[in-house]
Amino acid sequence: MKKILIQLDTDPHASSFDRVVAIDAGVDELMSYSDVTPVNVESLVHGAMFTRGPKELKNTALFVGGSEVHSGETLFHKIQDTFFGPMRVSVMMDSNGSNTTAAAAVLAAGKHLDFSDTTALVLGGTGPVGQRAAQLLAKRGAKVILASRSADRAQAACEAIAQIVENADLTPLALKDHKQIEAANKSTSLIISAGAAGVKLLPSACWKPMKQLKVVIDLNAVPPAGIEEVDVMDKATDRDGILCYGAIGVGGTKMKIHKAAIQKLFETNDLLLDTEEIYQIGVDLQS
């Protein structure tokens, strides 16, 4: 029986990136739908559920994508509400690559750091990738300083993560100028920059003198770099004693996780792959 992946994209045009990765992951048939909303998704889910018997449903899976992560999250929950009893298929949520990118970044940092002894600064921490990276770090015992230009948004993001991660050690930071990083984060050993593309968040003069800093990861692939003097190709590149990763440097791991997650969807019909589950797939790939 053919493995069918149904791509549910919230954008006007279904992502070509996600389509290519699905094909490279080995799906037999790919069906792509755009402008999918909680209002119109039910019939698409029913089409996936009712065309094959319960024992065959593992051969059908859903992928939730699109550029707007909040819309993807809402769609992901609506899909789950549509299932009942054994009538369900596996679902992966990775709108804007948020889960796979965050997983790859945290896995890269974990090669060099003991998270239980790590203070991490996440720049752009209220964005989709930043918030997920902060969640993964907090889950593994790191102290996380979640930075945003808005104090309210930083606080709200910390509260949202605290509802998911028990005993999370989170500190919101309203970042008004770069000097705050030096003053407030003298114990920081990890910085992850997950801000908007093409925006410099941290000059080199700010992070290079930080004595406790061991790893910096810039997830911005569009010039200028989010962290100045981190190259997009960096992969554990030693710059004055600090190990640096750029967007392409973690991109290889992100792609492997993405493909492996799609393949895993077809092992059973009841998987829900979100932040933590996708991270664990990355862990398994490294073992």
Side-chain angles (χ1 to χ4, degrees):
M1 180 166 283
K2 288 187 176 182
K3 296 177 181 177
I4 299 175
L5 182 67
I6 302 174
Q7 177 190 17
L8 305 176
D9 199 299
T10 58
D11 288 348
H13 299 285
S15 167
S16 57
F17 180 97
D18 292 335
R19 287 171 61 84
V20 171
V21 178
I23 291 169
D24 287 349
V27 301
D28 297 314
E29 297 287 346
L30 175 63
M31 302 176 182
S32 298
Y33 297 88
S34 56
D35 276 328
V36 182
T37 71
V39 175
N40 63 24
V41 74
E42 187 173 279
S43 62
L44 295 170
V45 178
H46 284 170
M49 290 163 49
F50 296 138
T51 46
R52 290 173 162 177
K55 293 182 179 180
E56 300 169 335
L57 283 175
K58 70 177 184 178
N59 296 298
T60 304
L62 303 176
F63 178 92
V64 177
S67 61
E68 216 294 303
V69 176
H70 178 69
S71 297
E73 291 173 332
T74 304
L75 196 62
F76 185 60
H77 292 300
K78 175 62 178 179
I79 290 168
Q80 294 172 59
D81 290 341
T82 307
F83 296 150
F84 59 90
M87 304 308 296
R88 60 188 63 236
V89 298
S90 292
V91 191
M92 175 180 173
M93 205 298 273
D94 197 35
S95 296
N96 207 23
S98 54
N99 282 322
T100 49
T101 302
V106 175
L107 284 165
K111 293 179 180 179
H112 315 288
L113 300 168
D114 176 357
F115 288 140
S116 65
D117 191 35
T118 294
T119 297
L121 170 64
V122 181
L123 302 172
T126 58
V129 175
Q131 191 163 332
R132 282 162 172 77
Q135 174 186 326
L136 291 170
L137 289 166
K139 176 76 172 180
R140 277 141 198 90
K143 296 178 181 178
V144 180
I145 301 166
L146 191 149
S148 171
R149 289 172 295 178
S150 165
D152 290 342
R153 290 179 61 196
Q155 181 64 40
C158 287
E159 290 174 357
I161 294 170
Q163 292 180 355
I164 300 170
V165 180
E166 188 176 358
N167 299 320
D169 190 337
L170 299 158
T171 302
L173 175 64
L175 198 58
K176 302 300 182 183
D177 60 62
H178 299 130
K179 291 183 179 180
Q180 283 179 281
I181 295 176
E182 296 177 67
N185 304 299
K186 292 181 179 179
S187 62
T188 297
S189 49
L190 167 66
I191 297 177
I192 295 178
S193 177
V199 178
K200 183 171 73 174
L201 297 180
L202 195 63
S204 58
C206 186
W207 64 269
K208 282 195 169 183
M210 294 173 67
K211 296 180 179 180
Q212 299 297 320
L213 189 58
K214 297 178 180 178
V215 179
V216 296
I217 300 175
D218 181 17
L219 298 175
N220 177 20
V222 180
I227 301 178
E228 189 178 33
E229 292 194 33
V230 173
D231 188 83
V232 69
M233 300 297 294
D234 280 349
K235 188 174 183 180
T237 303
D238 190 323
R239 298 188 183 279
D240 300 324
I242 301 170
L243 298 177
C244 300
Y245 285 84
I248 295 178
V250 299
T253 300
K254 178 254 189 300
M255 295 300 292
K256 290 177 182 177
I257 294 171
H258 193 148
K259 292 175 186 177
I262 290 175
Q263 293 164 356
K264 192 171 183 65
L265 288 171
F266 299 99
E267 293 180 2
T268 179
N269 73 316
D270 58 358
L271 293 177
L272 298 172
L273 302 185
D274 202 353
T275 307
E276 190 64 36
E277 295 81 8
I278 289 173
Y279 178 83
Q280 189 56 51
I281 289 171
V283 172
D284 294 342
L285 287 173
Q286 291 188 345
S287 62

